[in-house]
């Protein structure tokens, strides 16, 4: 981390990604307070430097949502996953593989909350998006 800050600076994309990744690692280790601290630092810096429509900010939102999901804090996870999904759709559209993954993330939160009526459409949309993305990739390879 210190190397990244020294080489790139605290507001460089690589440094922000390292902070976000550290949040994921600490979350996986069950050290949630550290995970939240790193993740929020990454998100705050990314929003300040790039704005919310940048892929680095969207990734930081998603990682933060994942950290809350790992703690079973589904309301907080929903907030971050929903914001990441909305921003992703606004930025790259609904028929994108990463968008499909984000729909699945949010669907999983609803599933854990036993909110099946909100989970089902997200999973169906994610499936359709993934199928469309696969079709486009096949067409691209054939052309």
């Amino acid at each position: 981390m210190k190397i990244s800050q020294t080489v790139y600076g605290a507001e460089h994309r690589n440094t922000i990604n390292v902070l976000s990744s550290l949040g994921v690692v600490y979350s996986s280790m069950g050290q949630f307070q550290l995970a939240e601290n790193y993740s929020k630092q990454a998100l705050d810096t990314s929003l300040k430097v790039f704005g919310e429509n940048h892929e680095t900010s969207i990734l930081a939102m998603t990682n933060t949502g994942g950290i809350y999901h790992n703690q079973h804090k589904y309301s907080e996870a929903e907030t971050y996953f929903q914001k990441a999904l909305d921003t992703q759709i606004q930025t790259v559209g609904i028929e994108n593989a990463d968008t499909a993954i984000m729909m699945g993330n949010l669907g999983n939160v609803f599933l854990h909350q036993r909110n099946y009526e909100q989970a089902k459409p997200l999973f169906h949309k994610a499936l359709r998006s993934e199928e469309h993305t696969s079709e486009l990739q096949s067409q691209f390879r054939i052309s």
Side-chain angles (χ1 to χ4, degrees), residues 116-133:
Y116 305 118
E117 293 307 310
Q118 282 191 281
K120 283 190 304 188
L122 280 167
F123 289 130
H124 284 291
K125 284 180 189 176
L127 181 61
R128 282 194 303 275
S129 178
E130 192 64 42
E131 288 171 347
H132 181 76
T133 302

Side-chain angles (χ1 to χ4, degrees), residues 34-105:
L34 276 172
E36 286 181 34
N37 291 343
Y38 280 114
S39 184
K40 286 183 178 182
Q41 185 180 352
L43 180 56
D44 291 345
T45 305
S46 187
L47 291 172
K48 176 184 156 198
V49 174
F50 301 116
E52 72 178 24
N53 293 333
H54 193 273
E55 63 187 339
T56 303
S57 299
I58 296 169
L59 177 62
M61 285 179 226
T62 301
N63 288 346
T64 303
I67 289 166
Y68 284 117
H69 187 268
N70 289 345
Q71 297 177 73
H72 309 282
K73 294 181 178 179
Y74 299 120
S75 179
E76 291 91 337
E78 178 184 342
T79 299
Y80 285 99
F81 282 153
Q82 185 68 62
K83 183 64 177 170
L85 176 60
D86 292 344
T87 307
Q88 178 77 3
I89 290 170
Q90 178 185 3
T91 305
V92 300
I94 199 162
E95 293 176 347
N96 176 282
D98 291 333
T99 305
I101 291 168
M102 291 179 184
M103 284 186 243
N105 289 342

Side-chain angles (χ1 to χ4, degrees), residues 5-17:
Q5 285 181 329
T6 301
V7 172
Y8 298 113
E11 295 183 344
H12 191 276
R13 178 182 180 168
N14 290 350
T15 304
I16 295 167
N17 286 334

